[in-house]
Amino acid sequence: MTLSEFDSYRPPETRRRRRSVLRAPQDGFARRRRRPGAGTNDGSREMPVVEDVEFTSYYGRPIVKPPPWGHEIAAYLFLGGLAGGSALLGLGAQLTGRGALRRSTRLTALGAAGAGAVFLISDLGRPERFLHMMRTVKITSPMSLGSWLLGAFSSAAGVAAAAEVDRLLGSRLPLGPLRGLLRGAAGPAGACAGLLGAPLAVYTAVLLSDTANPTWNAARRELPFVFVSSASLASGGMAMLTTAPSQTVPARVLAVLGVGGDLAAMALMQRRMHPAEAEPLHTGAAGTKLRWAERLAIAGGIGTIVGGGNRMAAGAAGLALLTASALTRFGVLEAGIESTRDPRHVIEPQKARLAARRAAGITHDSITTTG
């Protein structure tokens, strides 16, 4: 007998005992042997026909397929937010004449974008796969738009950062007549990178929530605000680490606003979610990371307000903010992956939504009329 690969998932079948039959030759009828106590009507010896309901799935397989993403994608999420926030901060420094802040944020934007691309390609397995993602432009696909957004942002940030490196080295790069062209293009390139910074920081939240993953999809309204706030406190924290306090006033303001937005958006997001969808955000390794992210964000925000003018205190606060942003991205990614492993995280919210639709009188569609 040929078996398919799915037969290996079937639970072992228990053998049924055959009931013996006694024949009565005197009347020609078969009579079954009764068990002791059978035939009573008190119900004390009845066996349950249906077992207790457990949330399970077909052959024990997950209802929603978990994404094959690891720490490389979590690092890409963090670095993308850092790059976008730094480029936006660099645009503000460019407009206000803060040269040191402009230089550090431009270099940070290019370094974070480059490192993020390395992690993304590492997850893809082969470098040419990233190029295949850019063969077409699909407006309805966050991944397609994100690939083009990353490419355009990196190009603009690269031109702006190259001009800063040339200034930092005292015009010693062998550019020749291209130096004037590079210096002239640095301003528009920095502005372009700054304008693309916010979409770069937020598109990954849209990418995660535009899936059937229960936790990510349930957070689709607030997750973009969480990621933008996380990028703000990360870029502000990095600027406080790399720039003198005399020029980091805009970075400190952005960091404090990011802390407030991050805490408010996370609290609102978890309150609006179904308890089964929000559970992975509170339990396991993901819950631990998110709790520490909240504590470090609060500590970094207080340190920014109290000691932002001191180089050592500002550096400690900036490091706390950077760590909080990284833990937020890692925690959200791991919570979403964990939510696909337990069928309860998928079934319970669906049942609640169905009951709410029926209670509201919506009974004319295929969703509420089934069953």
Side-chain angles (χ1 to χ4, degrees):
M1 178 179 178
T2 304
L3 299 178
S4 68
E5 57 177 331
F6 297 103
D7 287 303
S8 60
Y9 298 114
R10 291 179 177 174
E13 297 182 358
T14 57
R15 273 196 163 185
R16 297 181 180 178
R17 297 183 61 182
R18 287 180 139 184
R19 296 178 179 175
S20 60
V21 177
L22 297 178
R23 295 189 178 275
Q26 64 273 16
D27 53 7
F29 292 96
R31 186 176 68 241
R32 294 183 180 273
R33 180 180 297 170
R34 293 185 176 184
R35 295 188 302 274
T40 59
N41 296 324
D42 59 356
S44 60
R45 299 188 180 276
E46 292 183 359
M47 300 296 293
V49 179
V50 180
E51 298 179 356
D52 293 336
V53 177
E54 295 181 0
F55 290 105
T56 183
S57 58
Y58 187 68
Y59 286 149
R61 309 293 289 176
I63 296 176
V64 177
K65 185 177 181 180
W69 293 339
H71 294 309
E72 294 87 356
I73 294 299
Y76 170 71
L77 299 180
F78 164 67
L79 292 170
L82 175 61
S86 297
L88 183 62
L89 198 55
L91 176 58
Q94 175 183 333
L95 297 177
T96 56
R98 290 179 168 85
L101 181 61
R102 183 199 64 216
R103 179 174 60 250
S104 63
T105 51
R106 283 181 175 180
L107 294 177
T108 298
L110 179 61
V118 171
F119 280 110
L120 178 60
I121 292 173
S122 174
D123 178 77
L124 293 174
R126 292 185 299 180
E128 62 270 19
R129 288 178 176 171
F130 179 75
L131 300 177
H132 294 336
M133 295 168 64
M134 305 182 68
R135 290 184 299 176
T136 59
V137 179
K138 190 174 181 181
I139 303 298
T140 57
S141 171
M143 184 173 292
S144 176
L145 294 181
S147 302
W148 282 97
L149 180 61
L150 178 61
F153 175 88
S154 300
S155 300
V159 173
E164 295 296 341
V165 172
D166 186 53
R167 290 193 186 95
L168 191 62
L169 296 178
S171 302
R172 295 177 183 175
L173 292 179
L175 298 177
L178 295 178
R179 177 168 288 106
L181 181 62
L182 179 63
R183 296 286 179 87
C192 180
L195 294 176
L196 294 176
L200 180 68
V202 76
Y203 100 88
T204 48
V206 180
L207 176 63
L208 294 182
S209 58
D210 190 28
T211 63
N213 186 288
T215 296
W216 294 340
N217 186 263
R220 62 188 178 276
R221 289 173 294 183
E222 294 82 21
L223 192 58
F225 296 98
V226 172
F227 274 28
V228 166
S229 301
S230 175
S232 299
L233 62 92
S235 57
M238 177 61 80
M240 288 190 291
L241 273 172
T242 57
T243 314
S246 59
Q247 293 210 347
T248 58
V249 174
R252 282 179 267 161
V253 173
L254 183 65
V256 172
L257 291 176
V259 171
D262 182 75
L263 296 177
M266 282 292 292
L268 180 61
M269 179 182 76
Q270 296 179 28
R271 186 164 62 247
R272 287 184 175 179
M273 297 169 67
H274 187 276
E277 296 167 333
E279 181 182 333
L281 297 171
H282 303 285
T283 58
T288 303
K289 288 183 176 65
L290 292 174
R291 284 191 295 273
W292 274 105
E294 181 179 0
R295 295 166 188 167
L296 290 172
I298 295 174
I302 295 174
T304 301
I305 296 173
V306 175
N310 179 273
R311 189 62 186 265
M312 294 296 295
L319 183 60
L321 294 175
L322 274 172
T323 307
S325 178
L327 289 175
T328 297
R329 305 297 178 114
F330 275 77
V332 169
L333 182 74
E334 293 177 10
I337 296 175
E338 183 64 28
S339 68
T340 62
R341 294 173 179 166
D342 190 347
R344 183 172 54 85
H345 297 146
V346 180
I347 296 173
E348 285 190 358
Q350 289 179 346
K351 293 175 65 177
R353 288 192 293 268
L354 177 60
R357 289 172 65 86
R358 286 175 173 168
I362 306 175
T363 58
H364 60 277
D365 54 16
S366 59
I367 299 176
T368 54
T369 55
T370 301

